[in-house]
Structure formats: structure tokens, C-alpha cells
Amino acid sequence: MPTAPNRRAVAVILLVPLMVTLALWAFAWPAARIAPRDLPVGVAGAAPAAQQLEQRFEQRDGAFEVHRYADEAAARAAIEDRVVYGAVVATPEGPHLLTASAAGPVVSQLLREAVTTSVPEGTRVEVTDVVAAPAGDPRGGALGASILPLALAGMAAGAVVTLMGLRGARGALALLGASALVGLAATALTHSWLGVVAGDWWTEAGVFALTVLAIGSGVAGLAALLGSRGIGLGALLMVLLGNSFSGVTSAPQLLPEPVGAIGQWLPPGAGGSLLRSVAFFDGSAASGPLVTLSLWSVAGLAAVLLARRTPKPAAPTPGEPAREPALAG
């Protein structure tokens, strides 16, 4: 019979490759399958030129979700409200592409390629960036990279609260306090120093804090319900799947289905979407991710508040021997 140390060694040998394989699948598979899937775009201008543009988008079956607008002003408003990622306006001089690099530089580049390859060779395509990414992060790399540290911070907060045995009001206050401090520090770094977000300072701090709170309370809540296994499940949901499925470096509609939708139901993806909305679009389309983060936070905090610490056995009084547990008769 194998001894306990040998069994543990075999478990490590088998589990480490399994974890690496799972991590590679979670990160590499979506990245290798990036392509538009019902990506919302707009078409504006007078028929029949606008109709021809719409037909060119629809020829790529399932790639684009086309919205028609009467004129350029309406298309610009739809971009600023985050209804569409970009729009093509039919003009007498040729197609005029409206993009929003702040919504995702990868999407903007994809739309440029889609429009320029669909028009006759030699046709000039004018491009206007309606909501531009900030000068400090023109390619959106810094904003995308900020989600993993938030996931790790929330994961650490939830795990520490669990391992320290904090339950009830103490556990909830610890999560709230840690999240608030992370929110202030993250905003000072990304807004005040790096300049990669450009919205209202305190609103951005609230988004960072709420994202960390949703992750941390989610982990602590799972641990309160499932014990130490909840920390592992929280790491799987928040760090591995939540970060790789977030779509923050591209767009949810560019990820394989249903990965993009799942990512928006998890706090890292919802936090990234909410941060874009408040940082560049004056809060447009913020309600969905705000509800998601709030639900995770409330559910996790409720589990922490309602959890009871396991009472320790009473110590024997001096001079009194410890009682042996009674045997069942």
C-alpha cells in the first residue's frame, strides 16, 4: 500500500500539469479565437449608399450586428452612449469611419480593416476617433493589465479574511476597508500618475473598490459556505476564468461564445466594462456591470455576516483532567 507521503507526491505530479493545462486553455484559447461575433456597429447616411455598406457588413454572417442611423450626428451619439463600437457614414466623398479607441483599440483596428477591405481599391476612407483612448495609454494595454492586479488583490483579501477566521461584522468590515484602500491606491496610480483613465477621480476610485470588494467578498463568501475549498473555487472563478474571460484587452464580442458573456457575469469582466464606462463615456452603459458587481458584493458579504465561527472546546479548569469524549454505547 502506498504511504501518505507517496500519495501526496503523486497528487502533486498529476495536479501541477493539470493546473497548467487549464490555465493555458483559459488564456490561450480565447486569445487564439478572437474575431467579431455580433459586434454592434452602425451605418448612417442616405440610401442607397448606406444600404450597400450595411449589406457588406451582413455578408460576414454572424460577425456584425448592424444598427441604422439617419445621419452622422446620430451615429456619433450611439458611439458615445456605447450602443455601438463604431459606425460608417456614407458621404458623397466616400465612406467616413467613426471609431472609439477608448472602447477598445483592437475593435477600432478591426473596423478599419473591415471597412478598407470592403470598398473598391483606391477609395479613400476617412477615419475619425470619436472617443479616443488617452495619450498615456493609446493601445489600451495599461487598462487591460490593471484587471489582473485587482483580481489578485480581491483574492488575497478574501483568502486572508478566511484564514484569519474573521466572520460576521469583523470580516465584512475588513473586506470593505481593504477594498476602499485598494480603490484609492489604484486610482492614484492609474489616473493621477499614469494617466490611463480620464474620468471623475472619485467615481473611478469607487469602481476599483467595488471590483475588489466583489471579488474579495465572493471568495470569502464561498469559503464561508464551503470551507477551505471555497478559496480554491474562488481562485478558479475570479483569477483564472474571470481574468481570461473578461475581454478587457479586446472586447467581449470578440471572444468565443459563450466566453464573452460568462466573463461579463464575473467581477473582473464587469469591473473592466464599468471602468471603461466611467473613465471615457460619462457612465454610459454602466448599469449592467454595476448590477453584477453589486450582486457579487452583497451575496458574498451576506455569507460572511451570517457565517459563525466554530466554537473552540472549553479548556479544563486547573486541577481537573481533560474529559475523554463519551463513547457511543
Side-chain angles (χ1 to χ4, degrees):
M1 294 291 291
T3 62
N6 288 340
R7 288 196 297 267
R8 288 195 291 268
V10 172
V12 170
I13 294 172
L14 295 177
L15 286 176
V16 170
L18 179 61
M19 293 173 60
V20 171
T21 302
L22 180 60
L24 285 173
W25 168 81
F27 282 91
W29 173 59
R33 296 291 185 269
I34 286 181
R37 297 170 176 86
D38 292 325
L39 184 74
V41 296
V43 171
Q51 187 174 3
Q52 291 176 355
L53 292 172
E54 183 176 357
Q55 289 174 349
R56 288 168 186 163
F57 278 120
E58 291 176 344
Q59 285 175 355
R60 299 180 62 176
D61 188 33
F64 297 100
E65 178 186 283
V66 182
H67 299 244
R68 283 292 298 269
Y69 299 101
D71 51 27
E72 180 177 334
R76 284 176 175 267
I79 293 172
E80 293 168 353
D81 291 339
R82 300 203 72 185
V83 176
V84 295
Y85 281 92
V88 185
V89 183
T91 69
E93 294 78 20
H96 181 192
L97 175 61
L98 306 176
T99 65
S101 58
V106 174
V107 180
S108 296
Q109 183 62 33
L110 185 149
L111 289 177
R112 285 172 181 253
E113 295 173 356
V115 173
T116 54
T117 56
S118 65
V119 298
E121 186 177 355
T123 303
R124 178 177 176 272
V125 178
E126 182 183 358
V127 180
T128 300
D129 199 347
V130 177
V131 186
D137 189 25
R139 295 178 179 85
L143 179 63
S146 66
I147 298 302
L148 179 58
L150 294 180
L152 294 175
M155 180 69 209
V160 169
V161 164
T162 300
L163 297 176
M164 292 183 66
L166 298 177
R167 293 290 186 268
R170 288 184 178 180
L173 287 174
L175 290 168
L176 288 167
S179 301
L181 290 178
V182 171
L184 294 175
T187 311
L189 180 67
T190 59
H191 184 118
S192 302
W193 182 36
L194 298 177
V196 300
V197 290
D200 178 75
W201 200 96
W202 289 104
T203 303
E204 291 167 352
V207 171
F208 281 122
L210 182 59
T211 302
V212 174
L213 178 62
I215 297 169
S217 59
V219 172
L222 288 171
L225 296 173
L226 305 175
S228 59
R229 292 173 297 179
I231 298 179
L233 180 58
L236 175 66
L237 289 175
M238 304 300 179
V239 179
L240 188 59
L241 299 183
N243 187 65
S244 58
F245 290 5
S246 67
V248 69
T249 58
S250 54
Q253 293 86 353
L254 298 185
L255 300 180
E257 297 177 350
V259 166
I262 293 173
Q264 295 306 298
W265 298 337
L266 296 173
S273 295
L274 183 58
L275 182 60
R276 283 194 190 279
S277 291
V278 303
F280 308 119
F281 295 90
D282 295 327
S284 297
S287 58
L290 180 60
V291 169
T292 299
L293 293 175
S294 300
L295 289 176
W296 275 98
S297 300
V298 170
L301 289 175
V304 172
L305 286 168
L306 296 176
R308 296 181 179 180
R309 297 181 61 179
T310 304
K312 296 181 180 179
T317 57
E320 179 183 352
R323 296 181 180 179
E324 295 292 333
L327 296 176

